[in-house]
Amino acid sequence: MKQVQAETQKKKQKSLFDHIWDFFASVKVAIVIIILLAVTSIIGTIYPQENAIPSPNPQFYYADTYGKMGDLYYRLGLSDMYNSWWFLALVLLLAISLIICSIERVIPLYKSLKNQPIARKVIAIRGDRLYANQSEADQSRIDQLAEAFKKKRYKVRREGNALLAEKGRLPRFGAYIIHIGLLIIIAGVFVRLIPGAYYSGMVWLKQGERQYIEDVGFGLQNNGFTLEFYDDAQTRVKKYETDVAVYVGDEEKATKHLIVNEPLKFNNTLIFQNSYDPNPMFKRGKVELTDKASGKSYGTFDINFDDPKPSYQVGEYTLTMINYYPDIKVDPEKGGVYTNSRDPYNPGLQLSISKPGMEGQTQWMMPLAPFVEEMLGKEYQFKLKLVQVELFNMTGLHLQKDLGIPVVYAGCAVVLWGLVLCFYYQHRRIWARLEDGELHIGANTNKNWIGLNKEFNKLIATVGIDPVTFKPKAKKKAAQQAKQLDTPQSDAPHGKEGTEK
Amino acid sequence: MMTASSIFFGATLVCYFISTILYVLGVTGRKMKIAAGKANIWTKWGYIFSISGVLMHIAAMITRGVGAGFTPVSNMFEYMSFWAFTIMLAFVVINFFYKVPGLGAFVVPVGLTILTYASVFPREVKPLIPALQSYWLSIHVTTAALGEGILTISFAAGLMYLLVVTDLAKQPRSAKFLEFIVYLFTALVSFIAISLSFRIGGYEVIAQTAEGAAQLYKMPPIAGPSGTDLGSLTTLLGVSLPLFNAPGWMQGTDSAIQFNTIIWTVLGSLVLYGILRLIARKPLVAVISRWVRGLDEEMLDELSYRAVAIGYPVFTLGALVFAMIWAQEAWGSYWSWDPKETWALITWLYYTAYLHLRLRQGWEGVRTAWMAVAGFVVILFLLVGVNLLISGLHAYA
């Protein structure tokens, strides 16, 4: 009486920790979290996420591209929702649920399988879905069966005139192995929060350019980029590849002909051929100075568009650079010109041409904007023609350092192992008991009754029993009755769930 | 090689078509009523044609692969065709073990529909862009499709289970839902039929949006982009189109076109459904539920569950794990929340919920069968919806 009172007292005084524990131990809660994750994930696919939009200004992009809905999407933070605190919180809740649900069930399962009786009551064996018997049997039958079971790689335990053969106990833990694998994956994802464990960034390199990337501690140099198309109209890319070199200080540490799908690994950092700039840039060219009216050539000079000289000499003429716009644009409002970037996509040169005895004449040269040049140059005496040009595309390399990758992969392997155990293997148990000169054999499995039936018939044939067929699944009432007697399934990991509803 | 492939492809379509007819006759024929779920001569031949179709399909894919120089799973035509193949393969194998003759009457039409849908997409072989030049392409796509094919069997068996256990007269709500599922199938069929006929006819109309962007309509624009003058685009059978415009808040790049496609699909499905209703003179579900008479409900429930139990690990391997490994190599990140990736995860979470719910009391049977049926909609969205409605890194086709 006292004990009962103490227990009820104990029940009433559940601590906050117990409440939280019980909450997360429920499969119902786990399912709710899973469904919440699925439903919220859908929201993030309505419009592209910020990492996938072709603009660095999400605050304008969503409103411009998708209108009011897009703007609302951005304002609600849904455009970057997979990094939002509430989504990460959901993932953490799932992790907690995985841990507590597993602990709640795996320990009772382990204990019950460890302490399961070898000798079951005959009446219970008779109730098994797969059952066979033989009258006028003796102890030697049990010995024979034990031998046959061992040959089929069953683990056999004996106790007097009873026997328990068991195979595939580990698959019963398959679900929990999956859970462990998922936890490892989640841990692997969160590794990136450790300072120095994660870096992701793009590097754009011109031909021959070297850039030092501080976060990963090395520099990259582009020793040549090639771009090929399948068709002449250049609509379908065949390949884009970079000869890349890794530098630490001034020392070349590694080189690779980098292609898509085959990254270079250096210093725990992966270097990927990610993309290229579809707009080519001017590298070097040869410019011819001619007389506009007669077309007579005065000679040529070479120019490096990345680093033009202050002046060039063609025969007796001196060409002095007044202004250089690497990426020239016309300002439609003010009417002037400016440069859009420091990269020579669309070079515009303003030169002064002079020779001894002739005053300097201003002249523009714009190879990609001949109309503008024509418009400005009605009065020009000369013409500057680009007769040879070397163009190149910038290569886009993606750098990724993620020390969590091996952890995530290991987690995936564990999940797959657990899935195979859980869904493709089964736990089989066969009990035999000799009582009053009659041999009773009963079998149980958690799945694939047909397979067990076949094996069972082969095994009982060794002691001369005719084949049997398993009984159809017991209806609920019958199952309840069986439970009261003795059931080998009472150790089912989710057995508790029935009472929870 | 490509000609051979086309011939095999045509032969596959014919085989699946004959198989569908035989199966439907086998389960409806008054005199050859399926007694206690036993096969009759119709369903036997239906099965034989399914097997022949699968063999033809393999031949079609091998010849195409040899001709193209890579595994043919790189665009929507090839992918949809492969999915139809995995559905039929899963059916042929599972039917061998479970021997449910009526299953064919539900799965083979789905396989046929998906394969016909594949024909809507351009069939020419396009050389692979660099990101797809990897052996992971075939590994990832084939495994994922196999998982999706097996999960489709779960849908068919779940639907059959529901038809067996639902008393249409006494459970009007369930009957209505089932009728809706049948309607959705007619919608799918009419969408495919309309897209296919306009594609064969080479129909194209270009509309200008208010912003000046050109929109290429491949179906007559009943609804034009918002701001278009009514009746200004084209005429169809003497009617000037568009009749009305897409609402102003639809500002996505192709949303006006998609809106128009949806209108066509709804109209087409209503016509098709109406015709079928007129022929049947009762709810279609009342007709179809006769196909499953005499089948063992528990066996169907078990089959639906087993298909998930077999397909789920394959789907996990192909659509998530292999996908992650390839994404890591090709894009430099194993997970980038690309819509296709995210939807694969959503599908996985959905079936995870299914497997956990199944362990609960009261969820075995009817409720999980509904989940298996709805799961097909999720897979359909993952494979077709994402490509049609959302663009992303998987928009290769």
Side-chain angles (χ1 to χ4, degrees):
Chain A
M1 197 60 197
K2 248 186 183 173
Q3 212 181 353
V4 174
Q5 248 175 5
E7 264 173 27
T8 36
Q9 202 101 67
K10 216 171 156 190
K11 259 185 193 167
K12 275 180 190 164
Q13 291 178 343
K14 264 168 71 174
S15 68
L16 181 68
F17 178 81
D18 290 331
H19 278 291
I20 294 173
W21 181 275
D22 286 351
F23 178 76
F24 282 109
S26 149
V27 175
K28 210 176 181 177
V29 170
I31 292 171
V32 169
I33 296 172
I34 290 170
I35 291 171
L36 275 177
L37 272 170
V39 171
T40 51
S41 292
I42 294 174
I43 302 169
T45 63
I46 296 173
Y47 296 127
Q49 292 287 295
E50 280 175 30
N51 62 355
I53 59 170
S55 157
N57 297 313
Q59 65 271 37
F60 307 123
Y61 179 82
Y62 287 93
D64 289 349
T65 320
Y66 306 105
K68 272 182 197 146
M69 294 288 285
D71 194 40
L72 187 70
Y73 195 74
Y74 172 75
R75 280 168 199 274
L76 289 174
L78 299 174
S79 56
D80 193 24
M81 64 153 271
Y82 301 112
N83 293 317
S84 66
W85 64 267
W86 55 268
F87 191 79
L88 294 181
L90 263 180
V91 174
L92 279 181
L93 287 181
L94 180 73
I96 295 168
S97 164
L98 278 169
I99 295 170
I100 295 179
C101 274
S102 302
I103 292 175
E104 266 296 286
R105 287 164 186 80
V106 83
I107 292 170
L109 174 66
Y110 177 79
K111 275 188 185 156
S112 75
L113 284 176
K114 202 181 169 200
N115 303 329
Q116 63 182 327
I118 295 166
R120 280 166 73 216
K121 282 180 189 148
V122 169
I123 190 168
I125 295 177
R126 275 181 186 279
D128 283 340
R129 282 180 72 186
L130 200 48
Y131 167 77
N133 64 340
Q134 189 179 38
S135 46
E136 292 169 34
D138 56 28
Q139 189 72 30
S140 66
R141 291 292 190 225
I142 300 271
D143 295 336
Q144 277 174 322
L145 275 178
E147 274 313 302
F149 284 139
K150 274 178 192 157
K151 265 187 197 155
K152 282 274 175 193
R153 288 204 238 148
Y154 275 82
K155 217 175 136 192
V156 178
R157 283 188 289 160
R158 294 178 64 170
E159 194 181 273
N161 54 2
L163 169 153
L164 165 58
E166 191 178 5
K167 187 154 85 172
R169 193 188 278 191
L170 193 61
R172 284 296 284 279
F173 294 92
Y176 309 105
I177 293 170
I178 300 172
H179 291 175
I180 292 169
L182 291 173
L183 287 168
I184 296 172
I185 293 175
I186 293 173
V189 172
F190 279 92
V191 163
R192 66 178 58 180
L193 299 181
I194 302 168
Y198 183 80
Y199 172 77
S200 174
M202 282 292 294
V203 182
W204 290 93
L205 292 176
K206 296 177 196 169
Q207 208 93 350
E209 187 184 354
R210 190 194 300 177
Q211 267 182 42
Y212 184 76
I213 303 105
E214 209 154 309
D215 295 280
V216 292
F218 59 78
L220 287 175
Q221 181 168 310
N222 171 3
N223 287 335
F225 173 77
T226 37
L227 174 62
E228 273 180 39
F229 291 86
Y230 286 109
D231 51 339
D232 291 334
Q234 305 205 334
T235 54
R236 203 167 173 88
V237 186
K238 186 175 182 185
K239 59 181 183 185
Y240 46 102
E241 305 168 351
T242 310
D243 275 311
V244 75
V246 176
Y247 281 86
V248 175
D250 272 333
E251 202 183 331
E252 187 182 273
K253 289 283 190 185
T255 58
K256 188 175 165 90
H257 185 71
L258 204 62
I259 70 173
V260 178
N261 270 314
E262 277 178 34
L264 161 67
K265 192 171 182 182
F266 183 80
N267 224 356
N268 283 322
T269 306
L270 290 159
I271 301 140
F272 296 88
Q273 176 71 61
N274 177 282
S275 47
Y276 62 92
D277 184 351
N279 303 310
M281 284 187 209
F282 285 71
K283 188 168 179 63
R284 265 184 287 270
K286 196 184 270 298
V287 182
E288 190 179 33
L289 178 69
T290 55
D291 185 80
K292 199 182 171 195
S294 66
K296 185 184 160 219
S297 172
Y298 297 108
T300 60
F301 65 95
D302 291 325
I303 180 170
N304 178 351
F305 288 97
D306 248 346
D307 185 20
K309 288 188 212 154
S311 74
Y312 296 92
Q313 197 70 37
V314 178
E316 50 180 343
Y317 292 98
T318 307
L319 290 77
T320 315
M321 189 76 73
I322 305 172
N323 272 310
Y324 175 58
Y325 303 91
D327 190 7
I328 196 162
K329 288 273 174 328
V330 178
D331 189 328
E333 277 160 28
K334 290 179 194 156
V337 293
Y338 64 98
T339 186
N340 196 34
S341 71
R342 282 195 286 175
D343 301 315
Y345 287 107
N346 179 14
L349 291 73
Q350 195 182 21
L351 300 151
S352 162
I353 304 173
S354 62
K355 71 172 179 181
M358 187 186 94
E359 213 171 295
Q361 297 198 12
T362 307
Q363 165 120 22
W364 279 94
M365 178 179 119
M366 291 176 230
L368 288 185
F371 297 113
V372 183
E373 194 184 298
E374 195 65 29
M375 220 166 62
L376 294 168
K378 278 176 191 146
E379 314 290 317
Y380 290 167
Q381 182 188 346
F382 301 99
K383 185 161 179 64
L384 287 162
K385 254 201 324 201
L386 196 60
V387 286
Q388 248 181 43
V389 69
E390 222 179 287
L391 298 171
F392 71 93
N393 294 77
M394 261 204 307
T395 182
L397 305 179
H398 176 222
L399 278 89
Q400 189 216 27
K401 177 183 181 182
D402 187 351
L403 300 183
I405 292 174
V407 183
V408 170
Y409 281 7
C412 287
V414 174
V415 167
L416 291 173
W417 179 45
L419 281 169
V420 169
L421 285 178
C422 189
F423 290 106
Y424 301 151
Y425 281 88
Q426 59 282 133
H427 180 214
R428 288 175 175 175
R429 278 179 292 179
I430 303 177
W431 292 267
R433 186 158 187 180
L434 191 68
E435 200 176 69
D436 305 330
E438 192 177 358
L439 178 64
H440 303 271
I441 310 170
N444 189 282
T445 182
N446 57 343
K447 62 171 96 59
N448 191 5
W449 281 89
I450 299 165
L452 175 66
N453 202 159
K454 278 185 193 154
E455 190 166 73
F456 187 76
N457 283 339
K458 271 186 203 156
L459 288 166
I460 58 174
T462 58
V463 291
I465 307 179
D466 291 333
V468 291
T469 323
F470 64 93
K471 294 170 222 162
K473 204 188 256 177
K475 295 281 176 208
K476 262 169 207 160
K477 231 181 192 176
Q480 228 119 50
Q481 279 172 350
K483 211 168 227 174
Q484 279 164 3
L485 288 171
D486 156 15
T487 109
Q489 276 185 328
S490 62
D491 52 19
H494 299 278
K496 179 170 173 281
E497 288 307 304
T499 52
E500 199 188 271
K501 268 199 96 176
Chain B
M1 271 299 169
M2 295 327 264
T3 331
S5 177
S6 286
I7 293 168
F8 282 127
F9 186 79
T12 313
L13 269 173
V14 171
C15 281
Y16 291 169
F17 184 71
I18 295 175
S19 175
T20 301
I21 302 279
L22 288 172
Y23 266 119
V24 171
L25 285 177
V27 294
T28 49
R30 287 212 181 125
K31 282 182 184 167
M32 2 281 194
K33 225 167 250 165
I34 291 184
K38 291 262 162 40
N40 58 27
I41 182 104
W42 300 93
T43 58
K44 261 181 204 154
W45 277 97
Y47 189 50
I48 289 169
F49 270 97
S50 283
I51 294 172
S52 326
V54 166
L55 294 177
M56 289 293 150
H57 213 152
I58 293 174
M61 289 188 300
I62 289 176
T63 44
R64 189 180 171 92
V66 171
F70 52 83
T71 323
V73 284
S74 67
N75 61 24
M76 273 304 257
F77 163 69
E78 291 167 342
Y79 185 73
M80 282 293 129
S81 160
F82 194 83
W83 183 33
F85 166 73
T86 59
I87 291 172
M88 293 302 294
L89 181 71
F91 162 66
V92 164
V93 173
I94 289 176
N95 200 45
F96 179 77
F97 289 106
Y98 276 81
K99 296 197 175 59
V100 194
L103 185 64
F106 289 82
V107 179
V108 183
V110 173
L112 176 69
T113 310
I114 306 287
L115 190 63
T116 316
Y117 182 52
S119 330
V120 172
F121 296 96
R123 275 202 227 175
E124 83 241 62
V125 175
K126 278 199 180 157
L128 297 178
I129 61 166
L132 296 183
Q133 294 163 7
S134 163
Y135 54 87
W136 281 109
L137 167 67
S138 34
I139 297 175
H140 153 60
V141 176
T142 52
T143 324
L146 185 64
E148 288 145 4
I150 301 170
L151 291 173
T152 307
I153 303 292
S154 157
F155 149 73
L159 184 59
M160 290 168 78
Y161 171 84
L162 288 172
L163 289 170
V164 171
V165 299
T166 309
D167 186 336
L168 296 175
K170 288 183 189 156
Q171 290 163 272
R173 223 166 63 111
S174 298
K176 268 188 195 135
F177 272 119
L178 284 169
E179 183 73 6
F180 182 65
I181 299 283
V182 179
Y183 167 74
L184 283 184
F185 189 74
T186 63
L188 190 65
V189 170
S190 71
F191 166 65
I192 291 165
I194 293 168
S195 322
L196 198 60
S197 23
F198 284 120
R199 181 171 291 267
I200 290 168
Y203 192 92
E204 273 179 9
V205 161
I206 293 169
Q208 296 285 332
T209 60
E211 290 83 32
Q215 299 269 57
L216 181 65
Y217 278 76
K218 295 195 168 173
M219 294 178 189
I222 295 177
S226 71
T228 314
D229 289 333
L230 299 183
S232 66
L233 285 176
T234 179
T235 56
L236 179 77
L237 305 170
V239 181
S240 295
L241 298 178
L243 295 174
F244 52 90
N245 286 333
W249 52 265
M250 285 194 180
Q251 291 193 341
T253 345
D254 289 329
S255 58
I257 294 178
Q258 280 152 12
F259 180 62
N260 187 54
T261 308
I262 290 168
I263 293 172
W264 269 102
T265 305
V266 171
L267 288 177
S269 63
L270 289 177
V271 171
L272 179 63
Y273 179 78
I275 292 172
L276 291 173
R277 266 306 278 267
L278 278 177
I279 296 172
R281 300 221 193 135
K282 56 183 160 192
L284 298 184
V285 67
V287 178
I288 292 173
S289 70
R290 293 179 54 184
W291 298 3
V292 294
R293 274 197 305 195
L295 287 181
D296 176 14
E297 53 180 81
E298 253 175 47
M299 187 266 299
L300 287 171
D301 183 48
E302 168 80 7
L303 176 59
S304 179
Y305 166 69
R306 289 283 289 192
V308 176
I310 297 167
Y312 177 81
V314 179
F315 180 82
T316 312
L317 179 68
L320 295 170
V321 176
F322 285 161
M324 278 162 72
I325 297 173
W326 187 23
Q328 176 62 45
E329 289 203 356
W331 299 333
S333 171
Y334 57 82
W335 198 267
S336 40
W337 295 106
D338 171 68
K340 194 84 159 183
E341 246 175 3
T342 311
W343 270 95
L345 179 70
I346 291 165
T347 310
W348 186 81
L349 288 169
Y350 181 86
Y351 281 104
T352 307
Y354 169 97
L355 288 166
H356 284 85
L357 280 169
R358 183 136 180 126
L359 296 167
R360 301 177 66 84
Q361 235 168 36
W363 274 82
E364 215 170 289
V366 178
R367 289 183 180 179
T368 39
W370 274 113
M371 279 195 82
V373 170
F376 183 66
V377 180
V378 179
I379 292 181
L380 209 57
F381 193 84
L382 163 67
L383 298 184
V384 183
V386 172
N387 289 63
L388 290 186
L389 303 174
I390 308 169
S391 67
L393 292 169
H394 277 79
Y396 298 124

